[in-house]
Every structure is written in C-alpha cells, then in structure tokens.
Amino acid sequence: MENRAIPYKIYLSEEEIPKSWYNVRADMKVKPAPMLNPGTLRPMGFDDLRPVFCDDLIAQELDNENRFVEIPEAIRNYYRMYRPSPLMRAYRLEEKLKTPAKIYYKFEGSNTSGSHKLNSAIAQAYYAKKQGLRGVTTETGAGQWGTALAMSCAYFDLDCKVYMVKCSYEQKPFRREVMRTYGATVTPSPSMGTAVGKKILSEHPGTTGSLGCAISEAVEVSTTTPGYRYVLGSVLNQVLLHQSVIGLETKAALDKYGVKADIIIGCAGGGSNLGGLISPFMGEMLRGEAEYRFIAVEPASCPSLTRGKFAYDFCDTGAVCPLAKMYTLGSGFIPSPSHAGGLRYHGMSPILSQLYHDGYMEAVSVEQTAVFEAAEEFARAEGILPAPESSHAIRVAMDEAIKCRESGEEKTIVFGLTGTGYFDMLAYEKYHDGLMTDCIPTDADLQAGFAGLPSQPAE
Amino acid sequence: MENRAIPYKIYLSEEEIPKSWYNVRADMKVKPAPMLNPGTLRPMGFDDLRPVFCDDLIAQELDNENRFVEIPEAIRNYYRMYRPSPLMRAYRLEEKLKTPAKIYYKFEGSNTSGSHKLNSAIAQAYYAKKQGLRGVTTETGAGQWGTALAMSCAYFDLDCKVYMVKCSYEQKPFRREVMRTYGATVTPSPSMGTAVGKKILSEHPGTTGSLGCAISEAVEVSTTTPGYRYVLGSVLNQVLLHQSVIGLETKAALDKYGVKADIIIGCAGGGSNLGGLISPFMGEMLRGEAEYRFIAVEPASCPSLTRGKFAYDFCDTGAVCPLAKMYTLGSGFIPSPSHAGGLRYHGMSPILSQLYHDGYMEAVSVEQTAVFEAAEEFARAEGILPAPESSHAIRVAMDEAIKCRESGEEKTIVFGLTGTGYFDMLAYEKYHDGLMTDCIPTDADLQAGFAGLPSQPAE
C-alpha cells in the first residue's frame, strides 16, 4: 500500500474546535416556518415557549438572523473531552469497491454516548444548569439521545428523567443500564405516571409506545414539575445549530488538505445529524459560493421526506407540543415493528424540510436489508461497527461510489457516520440469521397517518 | 475553568505511530524462563513450536536479544485506522477527587474491538497470512480478543474459528454477533467437536467452561486442521512485544509535553495490556535511566500475582500446550461464577512474572464492588464507560490520587484504560441493583489449584 498524502484520520487540534455554532437559517432566503400554538394557530413567541424550554435555548430556537452563535467556554471544555472527532478517509472501502471515488466519513461515534447526540445534549444541559434548573426531562427511542443527555446531566449535576419507548426499553436493557450508570431515571413509555400516558394506555392497552408518545409524557412532566424543563435531541432549530460543529469541523478538515466535496450524505430521522453535517456547506451554496449535492437518506419504513406531506403537524402523539411545519407522515404514524434501529420519527426538522421543499437537497429511501448488507461490508473493510441509523448513509455512499466505478468519475463523497452499533446487535443477529424483513408502509398506511393532520392555517 | 497548557487529549500524528515494537526482554538481566515440553521438561525450540504457532511469531516469541522489532508496513497501515490512541488528561476526575495529583490515561477503547487487543490481533493475522495459512483458531473469554481477531481476519481475508467460554457465550450473545459480523465462526466451549472438549464434558457434564479449556480446544483444532495455526491474545512474549505500541505512544505523548510519570498502573489478567503499557518505561528503569513505580492490579477473585505460586504450569486445562514459568493459581483454577468481566486466566505473562519476582513491579488485588464503584465515578466524571477489566486500574489510580490529596503530593499518575464496557452492562446492572458480591477464593480453594501443578524441572 503506497504512502498517502492524506492520513486515514484527519484530526484537528483542540484549539480548532469551533468557537461558534453556525446558524444556517441566517442564509436561508425562505426561513423555516414558525411553530404554532395548536389552539390558536398563531406563532409561538418567547413567552409562549418558556414553560417548556430553557430561556437561552428558546432564543436560539427563534433566531433566524444571527449567522454565528458563540459556544460558551464550559461547553467547549466538554467538547475537548471527545472532540474534534476524526474525519476518516475510507481507503480500504474504496479498494474493496474498486471505485475511483474518494470517500470520507465524519465519525461521531468515539464517545460513550456512541453518537453525535452528545453535541447538543451537553449544550442543552449547560443552559438548563445556567438557568438554575433542578433537572430536565426527555424521551429516547434507540437510546442514543437518552444516553448522551444522561452523560451531560451527570457532568453538570442535573437530574435527568428519560421516557424510553417501551419496545426499546425491553429490547435494549443495556442502553437503560448505561443511562443508569450516569445517574438518570429511565421510565418505559407509555407509563401510568402521567395523565397522557394513562390516556394512551387506556385507549391502546398493550401498546409498545412511540417517540411521539414518549415526547408527550416528557413534556407533561417538565411542565408540571417545578424546576424542570423539556429537552429534545432532534428536529428543533436549536439542535441543528448545536450539531453544526459536525459540519464546521468536517469543512475545516477538508480545507486543511485542499479537498472539495462533491456529494454530502447523511442519514435522516429528525434531521439532527444531517442538518449539522451539511449546514456550513449549505450556507456556502445558499450564498452562491459553492455547489454541492446533498442527499438525505431515510428508511423506506419511515419515509417522511420521500413520501410525506409538507404541512403543519403535531410534534407529539398527545398534541401537547406546538405545531411545526415539516415533512410528516402524521403524528399517529408508527413504523412497522420489524423496523430496526432509530430514524423512526414521523416528521423532519423544519429547516431541512424547507430546504428540501426549495430544491436544495435530495432525498432517497432505502430498505433495511440493503442497509445491513452495507453495514457489514463497511465493518469488514473499515473496522468500525456502524449503528443501523448511520448505515443508511453508508448504503447510499457506497451506491454513489459504485456509480463512479461505472462512470469512471473521481468524485469526492463525504458522509456522516453518526455512531456505533454496540447496542444494536439484536438487529445484526436477525440479519445474520436471515430473519430480517423489509417493511414498507402501503399507501393506505400513509393515508391513515395523513388523516390525523391538524387543520392548516391560512397561507 | 482556566485554559490548560496540556490538552484533554494528547494525539500524536499517524507519522508518530512507532516504527518498531520494543522488546523489554533485551533489557532484562534475568530473562523469562523458556517454555518447556510437558513430556520431556526440555525447552521448546523453534521446530517444536511450529505445529502450533506461525513461524515469524515463534521467532518473536523466542527472541530475548533484539531490543527493537520492525513493524511491517501492512500492520502500520492498519494501525493508522485507529492509532495513535489518545492519552487523556483526567482534569475532571482530578477536580472531583480534589487531588493535587495529575492523572493521565491511555485510552485503547476507541476501536470496534473495544480494547487494546487489536494491537496484537492484527499482527498475528498478518504473519498468518504472510505464511500462506488458510485460517487461525483461538479462544476468547470476555470476548474482546475474539472480536479483535475477527476484525483482523476480515481485513486479511483469513478464516477465524473462535472458541468462546460457554458462560460468556451465553451471557454475551451480542459479543458473538459482533464476531459473526466480521465473518468469524464462534463455538461455545467446551464443545463436542474436539477430543479434548468431549473429554472435559464427559468428566464435568454441564460445565460452563474456562479459558484454559477453550485454549485446549483451539490448539487441538489448529494442529489437526491443515493450513491453520493457533493464536493467543495474552500471556505470550510476542503479545507483550506487539502491545508495546501502547507504552511507546504513551511515552512519546508524555515526552512531547515534558511530563514525567511517577506511578504507572495497569490491570493484569494475562498481562497483555500491562506489559505493553509499562515495557518502554521498564526498559528505562532496567537500564538505570529512570525510576518509576509500576503497579499491577488484579481481581481479588483471580489473584495470580498476589496469591499465586511462581512455578512452571500448564497454560491450558487439557495440558496440550507447553509449560510456562509464571505466577499461577494452577491450571484447574476457575474464578467464582460471581466474578464479572475478564482477568480470569489462572496464570500471568512469564515476562511480568519474572519482573515481579525480581522486585521491579508491585501488585495489588481489588474487590469487584470497589471496582464498579470506581467505574461509575469515572464514567460520570470523564464520560467514558469503562470495561470492568480496565476499571481495576481506575480503582487503584483513584486510590493513589486520594493518597496524594492526603499527603499533598503532586504525583503524576498514568494508567491504562484498556477498553469500553458496552458489552458488560449485565454486570453494571447487577451492581446498580445491589446484587453484585465479592468472591475471594479461600486458602483451601488455592491449595486445590496448586495441587494440580506439574512436577517442576530441576533448577
């Protein structure tokens, strides 16, 4: 193997951790639509949101103007414990695929939370502590967000109450133990401890829960317990802001070696990783400084961008949250139980939804057996055992690299490897044993989801 | 938090990955005793070992003279995918402990195998491939070695047969799935597929296996299957040689910032991590260039250094392997079933055994409830979820830092954080639920183990 000018891992120094987050909304001509009060259908302002969210985070949520938001020193100090994350050159995967394409991936799995979620969790915990709160509540599905938040709360000595979708709670007892190790309380959702949980359980006895339902419970507890607020790991504008560290570091590392990306690929559930990864590149494109292809990859079993509607919808099942305008499958949509891993939220980040609607981004959906096939091939080539979510991006990165082999084009492909699959081995086992199936919703399934959309405000 | 001259993570560049391994035997005045043929009690030479081990690895095993062994370029290229590993400054732990001590840890868990084992696995797979072999056999207990070897064999396209101690196979199905993801065959040991397995099962029906028994099976298969050899993840001289990358990088990183270690601490099962970490520092001490305190930390439930005998013993239960002179509890010793995690081998690396015997190293044993207490405190402070094995070193590093708080001494403590605990959450759960007990062998237990020692050669 010849010596290479570009190392396998491009590490930046701790001093190169970004000093500000980048707010892509500042460069969007059409801003994401504001959240609405579900009763009045009027935009929610700062004061409307205060019972649910921390003050500083509301300010970030509503800020469509400032291009940069300074990262407080306490958060940068925490980032130093696990960032900058490496940008890896996939030399070995390129060889295996016999492609002239150059493949890079930004690896966000080198921390105990096992994913990029920590980038926003530590920020949200910091602002909660700064406000003098006692604790925060949240929901978690696959468990990455809950783990990241539990770690962050341990760091700032905050109480942490996690509502974990019941089927994940039962299938992933070890995720729960990780959160307990960091001192969090983990409750399977729906639970009998909240009014909304009781209601859902009485209407759907034996339900194994959903993210939308867990959100409703976490929000209820945050608004009824003094000194608590609710925090969320995806979808929100503030989360994409925090996650912009991924893209800023990626860009800095590429710039360091004079590499220009052609295609940037990320998996998309609520949009936290994809939005964070592409934001600074998208900003360049919005300002007319560069051209990129952006590809959002979602599961065929939960296809909000590729088969959803762009409309105002409830963010949660219990309809206690504001309405958000986004690509959505309807707040009642629940992916097939045979869908493994995360990326199971019914909606998509309003920022990414607007960008997609305006033609700045592509979206594709992939089936999970093809995703696990890519995951295994990637693991054997690159060593890293990828999370099922991340493997959606791997699948499409490999597909694009194979197209380059056929066309002879030397494109530069960058994708986000959001995390590791250590807690997903049950899904890998199913795949190895040939028991994994694809699970694509029918048109009738989708229509049932759309039927639950609220009435839309006048344009 | 003030700005710090030393970063949280000291990363070296890929070009700073060592170009040679360091062989501490070259600097030892008293060399480790040679392996003996169990029948003749005569030292095993190159030709005696060829049926079991790869040729190049035998040469390394027997080499007591050469101080440095060049690392082949193919291995360095693989190292580039996950090395240099970071040397972390535990600022946050220091604060929590209110200690004037400066604590550093070399973190070897940032790769999918989850531990330092990969450093030797990739080397052993490389030499097997170089020799034109079809595959290798091995055993695994906690699963870290098997995972590392499976990854390495996938990389070099070698077949990999892993014999996994049955109780681990059953308690850690996800470890098994990781190995399958990399294409390895995993068999619970003892199995009915080998003569030695059948014998053990007929004598001890229902046994949940032991490392010594799994070694016997793996060795039998390697010697009876054309094109196969046996590889081992610890104890052997060659393994300590490969693992010297840990110590070489640690020393390079400390030198870069002008830091001199006072105490170097590692957990000790078979000795692979401890030997690798301390070797270059030990070499300085053996050559009279520097002074250090070295502390080996072992579980109270498997105390080979602190309560074992320094004697020739079988390396495996089936007595198919050569005899090695080492601190041992007897090849029939099996730790209590309530012992969690690895570090359960009955013997200790002959190199480390000799150094300990000659007074160059200290050893302490710790109880597992105290170990998990340290693990949890470390996780909450530093973010990383440590493996139970690694947490033995954490426990003693914290104890030494607390002594510094009491004495006011500003010592520099370095310890090896060998891996992550993602696959050990069952043990964490037991600890959280108050169900974990300590399990210290009685003197009678030890006497029973010693009774199985072979007759010793004349001095």
Side-chain angles (χ1 to χ4, degrees):
Chain A
M1 215 177 279
E2 77 276 26
N3 268 324
R4 269 121 179 193
I6 292 176
Y8 282 77
K9 304 174 301 301
I10 308 179
Y11 276 114
L12 304 172
S13 73
E14 283 178 24
E15 287 315 300
E16 290 172 289
I17 293 172
K19 296 190 172 53
S20 299
W21 293 302
Y22 166 68
N23 180 7
V24 70
R25 286 165 286 166
D27 284 309
M28 289 170 71
K29 280 164 209 89
V30 184
K31 308 294 182 193
M35 285 188 282
L36 301 185
N37 179 310
T40 64
L41 297 187
R42 297 191 46 140
M44 306 276 283
F46 187 85
D47 289 333
D48 302 313
L49 294 168
R50 291 193 73 190
V52 180
F53 296 123
C54 303
D55 292 356
D56 285 321
L57 292 167
I58 299 171
Q60 294 177 0
E61 190 65 29
L62 299 175
D63 178 0
N64 285 343
E65 305 307 325
N66 289 299
R67 187 170 279 142
F68 292 102
V69 175
E70 191 180 333
I71 305 176
E73 190 59 27
I75 297 174
R76 291 191 79 228
N77 271 333
Y78 191 89
Y79 280 170
R80 285 191 177 95
M81 287 174 37
Y82 71 101
R83 305 200 67 82
S85 70
L87 181 71
M88 310 286 294
R89 174 71 184 270
Y91 283 119
R92 179 75 179 166
L93 183 64
E94 292 169 18
E95 276 172 19
K96 285 239 180 175
L97 296 176
K98 298 186 172 59
T99 176
K102 294 168 182 62
I103 309 176
Y104 294 82
Y105 55 95
K106 179 70 168 170
F107 179 43
E108 291 286 325
S110 285
N111 67 72
T112 286
S113 83
S115 80
H116 67 293
K117 293 289 186 186
L118 197 52
N119 302 327
S120 185
I122 193 64
Q124 297 193 45
Y126 165 79
Y127 289 114
K129 187 71 181 181
K130 186 178 164 218
Q131 194 169 323
L133 297 178
R134 284 176 48 212
V136 292
T137 70
T138 199
E139 78 296 327
T140 199
Q144 293 179 334
W145 167 248
T147 305
L149 190 68
M151 284 175 67
S152 304
C153 287
Y155 186 77
F156 284 121
D157 202 16
L158 275 171
D159 185 42
C160 180
K161 297 185 195 301
V162 179
Y163 287 82
M164 187 169 186
V165 178
K166 192 180 277 174
C167 65
S168 293
Y169 183 91
E170 285 163 3
Q171 280 176 19
K172 297 189 170 188
F174 297 161
R175 268 282 180 210
R176 180 189 72 212
E177 285 311 314
V178 177
M179 292 184 255
R180 283 178 79 194
T181 301
Y182 291 101
T185 313
V186 187
T187 307
S189 166
S191 77
M192 291 300 283
T194 64
V196 67
K198 275 183 206 156
K199 181 162 178 286
I200 290 167
L201 280 171
S202 74
E203 288 168 6
H204 307 279
T207 176
T208 55
S210 71
L211 264 184
C213 162
I215 294 175
S216 299
E217 290 203 86
V219 170
E220 178 183 320
V221 172
S222 75
T223 51
T224 54
T225 315
Y228 281 75
R229 289 295 184 282
Y230 168 70
V231 296
L232 178 64
S234 193
V235 182
L236 296 176
N237 298 341
Q238 61 188 263
V239 175
L240 267 70
L241 177 73
H242 305 149
Q243 294 293 358
S244 69
V245 290
I246 304 174
L248 291 165
E249 285 183 8
T250 302
K251 194 159 153 36
L254 290 173
D255 287 351
K256 198 164 184 166
Y257 285 89
V259 176
K260 161 74 173 63
D262 296 304
I263 310 175
I264 303 178
I265 300 168
C267 62
S272 66
N273 148 71
L274 178 68
L277 173 66
I278 70 174
S279 275
F281 301 94
M282 182 63 81
E284 283 185 291
M285 192 149 101
L286 293 169
R287 296 190 304 270
E289 298 165 6
E291 283 288 324
Y292 299 100
R293 273 184 70 199
F294 300 106
I295 309 179
V297 189
E298 59 184 14
S301 50
C302 193
S304 56
L305 284 171
T306 52
R307 296 177 72 195
K309 277 199 196 317
F310 188 44
Y312 268 105
D313 194 10
F314 301 108
C315 291
D316 63 327
T317 310
V320 299
C321 292
L323 299 179
K325 188 167 183 189
M326 55 188 180
Y327 280 87
T328 178
L329 298 164
S331 61
F333 179 86
I334 297 181
S336 156
S338 57
H339 170 74
L343 310 182
R344 46 174 69 241
Y345 187 62
H346 66 275
M348 177 60 63
S349 140
I351 293 176
L352 292 179
S353 292
Q354 190 66 50
L355 289 166
Y356 178 60
H357 184 71
D358 293 343
Y360 291 105
M361 189 173 81
E362 304 166 35
V364 295
S365 74
V366 288
E367 297 174 15
Q368 67 177 354
T369 51
V371 166
F372 276 83
E373 185 188 27
E376 188 162 284
E377 193 166 348
F378 178 84
R380 292 185 185 187
E382 292 288 317
I384 295 168
L385 185 82
E389 299 81 37
S390 324
S391 305
H392 287 70
I394 296 174
R395 172 75 272 163
V396 172
M398 285 172 59
D399 291 345
E400 290 293 331
I402 290 166
K403 283 185 207 161
C404 287
R405 178 177 71 207
E406 288 157 6
S407 68
E409 288 174 288
E410 286 188 31
K411 287 186 182 162
T412 295
I413 300 169
V414 175
F415 72 90
L417 189 71
T418 56
T420 50
Y422 301 116
F423 293 101
D424 301 285
M425 296 318 296
L426 210 58
Y428 273 94
E429 184 176 17
K430 264 192 172 175
Y431 173 71
H432 294 146
D433 293 341
L435 301 174
M436 180 173 279
T437 54
D438 292 314
C439 39
I440 303 170
T442 63
D443 286 338
D445 293 335
L446 295 186
Q447 289 310 321
F450 298 146
L453 288 175
S455 55
Q456 301 292 305
E459 287 289 314
Chain B
M1 214 177 278
E2 78 275 27
N3 268 324
R4 269 122 180 193
I6 293 177
Y8 282 76
K9 304 173 301 300
I10 307 179
Y11 275 115
L12 304 172
S13 74
E14 283 179 23
E15 288 315 299
E16 291 173 289
I17 293 172
K19 295 189 174 54
S20 299
W21 294 301
Y22 166 69
N23 180 9
V24 71
R25 285 166 285 167
D27 285 311
M28 289 170 70
K29 280 165 210 89
V30 183
K31 310 293 181 192
M35 285 188 282
L36 301 185
N37 179 308
T40 66
L41 296 187
R42 297 191 46 137
M44 305 276 282
F46 187 85
D47 289 332
D48 302 313
L49 294 167
R50 291 192 74 191
V52 180
F53 296 123
C54 304
D55 293 355
D56 285 321
L57 292 168
I58 299 171
Q60 293 177 359
E61 189 65 28
L62 298 175
D63 179 1
N64 284 343
E65 305 307 324
N66 288 299
R67 188 170 278 143
F68 291 101
V69 176
E70 192 181 334
I71 305 175
E73 190 58 26
I75 297 175
R76 291 190 80 227
N77 272 332
Y78 191 90
Y79 281 170
R80 285 192 176 95
M81 289 173 38
Y82 71 100
R83 305 200 67 83
S85 70
L87 181 71
M88 312 286 293
R89 174 73 183 267
Y91 283 118
R92 179 76 179 165
L93 184 64
E94 293 169 17
E95 276 173 18
K96 285 239 178 174
L97 296 175
K98 298 185 173 59
T99 177
K102 294 169 182 61
I103 307 174
Y104 294 84
Y105 54 96
K106 179 69 167 169
F107 180 44
E108 291 287 325
S110 286
N111 66 73
T112 287
S113 82
S115 80
H116 67 293
K117 294 287 187 187
L118 198 50
N119 302 326
S120 185
I122 192 65
Q124 297 193 45
Y126 165 79
Y127 290 116
K129 187 71 180 180
K130 187 179 165 218
Q131 193 169 323
L133 298 178
R134 286 174 50 212
V136 292
T137 70
T138 200
E139 78 296 327
T140 200
Q144 293 179 334
W145 167 249
T147 305
L149 189 68
M151 286 175 67
S152 303
C153 288
Y155 186 77
F156 284 121
D157 202 16
L158 276 171
D159 185 40
C160 180
K161 298 186 195 300
V162 179
Y163 287 81
M164 187 169 185
V165 179
K166 192 179 276 173
C167 65
S168 293
Y169 183 91
E170 286 163 2
Q171 278 176 20
K172 297 190 170 185
F174 297 162
R175 267 284 177 207
R176 180 188 72 214
E177 284 312 313
V178 176
M179 292 183 254
R180 284 177 80 193
T181 301
Y182 291 102
T185 314
V186 188
T187 307
S189 167
S191 77
M192 291 299 284
T194 65
V196 66
K198 275 184 207 157
K199 181 162 177 286
I200 290 167
L201 281 171
S202 73
E203 288 168 6
H204 307 280
T207 177
T208 55
S210 71
L211 264 185
C213 162
I215 293 175
S216 299
E217 290 203 86
V219 170
E220 178 183 321
V221 172
S222 75
T223 52
T224 54
T225 316
Y228 280 74
R229 289 294 185 284
Y230 168 69
V231 296
L232 178 64
S234 193
V235 182
L236 297 175
N237 298 340
Q238 61 189 264
V239 175
L240 267 70
L241 177 72
H242 305 149
Q243 294 294 358
S244 69
V245 290
I246 304 173
L248 291 165
E249 285 182 10
T250 302
K251 193 160 155 37
L254 290 173
D255 288 351
K256 199 165 184 167
Y257 285 90
V259 176
K260 161 72 174 62
D262 296 305
I263 309 175
I264 303 179
I265 300 167
C267 61
S272 66
N273 147 71
L274 177 68
L277 173 66
I278 70 174
S279 275
F281 300 94
M282 182 64 81
E284 284 186 290
M285 193 148 101
L286 292 169
R287 296 190 303 272
E289 298 165 7
E291 283 288 323
Y292 299 100
R293 272 183 72 199
F294 299 106
I295 308 178
V297 189
E298 59 185 13
S301 50
C302 192
S304 57
L305 284 172
T306 52
R307 297 178 71 196
K309 278 199 195 317
F310 187 45
Y312 268 105
D313 194 10
F314 301 109
C315 292
D316 63 326
T317 310
V320 299
C321 292
L323 299 179
K325 188 168 182 188
M326 55 188 179
Y327 279 86
T328 178
L329 299 164
S331 62
F333 180 85
I334 296 180
S336 157
S338 57
H339 170 74
L343 310 182
R344 46 174 68 241
Y345 186 62
H346 65 274
M348 178 59 63
S349 140
I351 293 175
L352 292 179
S353 291
Q354 190 66 51
L355 289 166
Y356 178 61
H357 183 72
D358 293 343
Y360 291 104
M361 189 173 80
E362 305 166 33
V364 295
S365 75
V366 289
E367 296 175 16
Q368 66 177 354
T369 50
V371 165
F372 276 83
E373 186 189 27
E376 188 162 283
E377 192 165 349
F378 179 83
R380 292 184 185 187
E382 291 288 315
I384 295 169
L385 184 82
E389 299 81 37
S390 325
S391 304
H392 287 70
I394 296 174
R395 172 74 274 164
V396 172
M398 285 172 60
D399 291 345
E400 291 292 330
I402 290 166
K403 284 184 206 161
C404 287
R405 177 177 72 208
E406 288 158 5
S407 69
E409 289 173 289
E410 286 189 30
K411 288 188 182 160
T412 295
I413 299 169
V414 176
F415 72 90
L417 189 71
T418 57
T420 49
Y422 301 117
F423 293 101
D424 301 285
M425 297 318 296
L426 210 57
Y428 274 93
E429 184 176 18
K430 264 192 171 175
Y431 172 71
H432 294 146
D433 293 343
L435 301 175
M436 180 173 279
T437 54
D438 292 315
C439 37
I440 303 169
T442 63
D443 287 337
D445 293 334
L446 296 187
Q447 289 309 322
F450 297 147
L453 289 175
S455 56
Q456 300 292 305
E459 287 290 313

